[in-house]
Amino acid sequence: MVLASLVIGGPSFLYVWQGAKLQQLTAEREAARAELTQLEEINHSLELQIEEGFSLQRLSRYAIGQLGMAPPTEVHYVHVPKSDLP
């Protein structure tokens, strides 16, 4: 009698336990996926801030406003022959 209940009850218990474990792992996966999506959005936002921070317009405004620099009044170009290039 005990052996028959173990033969029937054992696989049933394992089936229920497996289902509960599968639900738990699925919930953990969805939580990790949601966190990943949130972190990707934050990463994208930070990438945009970095690009904006190093844009030529912003650096120009910073150089003029904060550092007191001014655009050059005279620009001289030096011609470098192709034979002098590496």
Side-chain angles (χ1 to χ4, degrees):
M1 187 70 131
V2 174
L3 183 61
S5 63
L6 286 176
V7 169
I8 295 171
S12 299
F13 171 76
L14 289 176
Y15 179 76
V16 171
W17 177 80
Q18 182 182 21
K21 189 67 174 175
L22 182 60
Q23 286 180 341
Q24 176 192 0
L25 291 173
T26 301
E28 288 176 9
R29 184 192 71 207
E30 291 303 318
R33 184 176 289 164
E35 183 180 2
L36 176 63
T37 302
Q38 182 182 16
L39 291 174
E40 286 174 339
E41 290 173 0
I42 291 171
N43 189 38
H44 181 67
S45 173
L46 291 173
E47 285 176 349
L48 291 176
Q49 288 180 12
I50 289 171
E51 287 176 13
E52 182 182 299
F54 286 103
S55 71
L56 294 178
Q57 293 83 8
R58 184 186 179 287
L59 292 175
S60 176
R61 285 194 310 269
Y62 179 77
I64 292 170
Q66 300 290 328
L67 301 177
M69 296 179 161
T73 54
E74 271 187 60
V75 178
H76 299 280
Y77 295 96
V78 176
H79 177 70
V80 178
K82 287 186 178 184
S83 62
D84 291 347
L85 295 176

